[in-house]
Amino acid sequence: MKVLVIGATGYIGSAVAAAFARSGHEVATLSRRRRLGERHGDAGGRTGGERGRWIVEGDLEDPPSLVAAARGFDRVVHAGPPLGERADLAAVDALLAAGSPLIHTTGAAVLGGGTADEDSAADPHPIVAWRAEAERRVLDAGGQVVRPGMVYGEGGGLVAGLLAAKAAERGAGVYIGEPGVRWPVVHVADLAALYLLVALHAAPGTVWHGMSETVRLDEVAAALGGGRAVSWPLAEARTELGGLADLFTRDQDVSSDRTRHVLGWSPTRPSLLAYLRDGG
């Protein structure tokens, strides 16, 4: 397949692009400008890349450029960064207008608290409230939606960034609010494998869950803090993190059973706690 990966320089997108390339697919990546020394491409804005990769000129905040960039691909994978309601919805509309089958990334935050599965109605956290509408537009157009849990592994994500930094700063792992809050999580390599399965086997207009397990955030904090974890009061965390702090208090146990059964997705990387115990 010819696959355009949006966000290929980011944490999830880079792993997705690598997974498609390893499987023999032709991978293009989106860039706002042509890099020095690269030859001009065709009329669609494609330029030559390294090692069989292609760079396509386009900007997530410039919808007409996205329409031109995304035309003619067998799949477009949108794993780019969130930019806010107006920009994100306009980008989705532009990618759908291009006519190439779209795989769009949202996340567990689009679901409510408690138990949920692939059939659960969206109940998004206010910090990403518009993602439910983005999902609806993608699904109505026959695209697919991937909802990852909190992504870890290979030195990236909130675990290696925010949570590890707070543990180092305070001399103990930190969790926000009360203990016992659960979150779904997934290793970035397992998540990348899921995108490939969705591209190859998923029916149009379907939702898939990239959550390999559910963990307690206070246990994650303890693993990061050498066995010691303390609560970061919500009001205090809000002053630094804004609305993201409230997201850390939303208890979720999200199933990926249908994704595993239908697509044969079988995560193989270490669990998050094992990963942290081994020095991840």
Side-chain angles (χ1 to χ4, degrees):
M1 292 185 294
K2 292 174 62 178
V3 181
L4 172 63
V5 178
I6 297 171
T9 60
Y11 181 43
I12 294 174
S14 61
V16 171
F20 276 94
R22 282 194 303 268
S23 296
H25 302 289
E26 182 181 350
V27 177
T29 62
L30 189 75
S31 177
R32 281 182 287 186
R33 58 183 60 87
R34 183 180 293 115
R35 290 193 289 230
L36 184 64
E38 290 176 338
R39 64 180 175 84
H40 289 266
D42 59 24
R46 293 181 177 81
T47 64
E50 297 179 355
R51 297 184 180 180
R53 297 258 187 119
W54 290 88
I55 296 169
V56 179
E57 289 186 270
D59 188 335
L60 280 172
E61 297 186 88
D62 179 11
S65 76
L66 288 180
V67 176
R71 283 186 178 136
F73 284 93
D74 298 306
R75 292 291 185 280
V76 173
V77 178
H78 186 358
L83 300 173
E85 180 174 2
R86 177 178 292 184
D88 285 356
L89 292 178
V92 164
D93 288 341
L95 293 172
L96 293 173
S100 300
L102 177 63
I103 302 174
H104 183 65
T105 307
T106 56
V110 82
L111 296 166
T115 60
D117 59 24
E118 293 89 344
D119 293 321
S120 297
D123 180 17
H125 188 277
I127 198 172
V128 290
W130 64 91
R131 286 189 175 182
E133 175 61 18
E135 286 192 351
R136 185 194 66 76
R137 295 183 189 187
V138 172
L139 296 173
D140 286 351
Q144 293 126 344
V145 168
V146 174
R147 294 171 177 161
M150 180 172 67
V151 187
Y152 68 93
E154 300 181 7
L158 283 174
V159 175
L162 173 65
L163 298 181
K166 281 297 170 187
E169 174 187 314
R170 298 189 175 215
V174 299
Y175 57 91
I176 297 175
E178 298 298 319
V181 172
R182 301 166 296 169
W183 265 24
V185 300
V186 63
H187 191 285
V188 66
D190 287 325
L191 178 60
L194 174 59
Y195 281 88
L196 186 59
L197 289 171
V198 170
L200 293 173
H201 304 300
T206 48
V207 173
W208 306 97
H209 279 181
M211 294 90 168
S212 58
E213 62 173 333
T214 298
V215 299
R216 283 178 47 154
L217 293 182
D218 55 339
E219 292 180 350
V220 174
L224 287 166
R228 184 164 176 258
V230 297
S231 174
W232 188 8
L234 179 57
E236 181 183 326
R238 282 174 176 156
T239 65
E240 182 173 336
L241 303 179
L244 180 63
D246 295 273
L247 185 58
F248 276 87
T249 67
R250 177 173 278 199
D251 180 66
Q252 291 184 308
D253 182 17
V254 183
S255 169
S256 296
D257 286 350
R258 188 176 73 188
T259 299
R260 292 170 183 260
H261 176 72
V262 175
L263 298 183
W265 183 55
S266 182
T268 61
R269 269 61 177 188
S271 70
L272 175 54
L273 294 180
Y275 171 81
L276 294 175
R277 285 195 300 268
D278 292 340

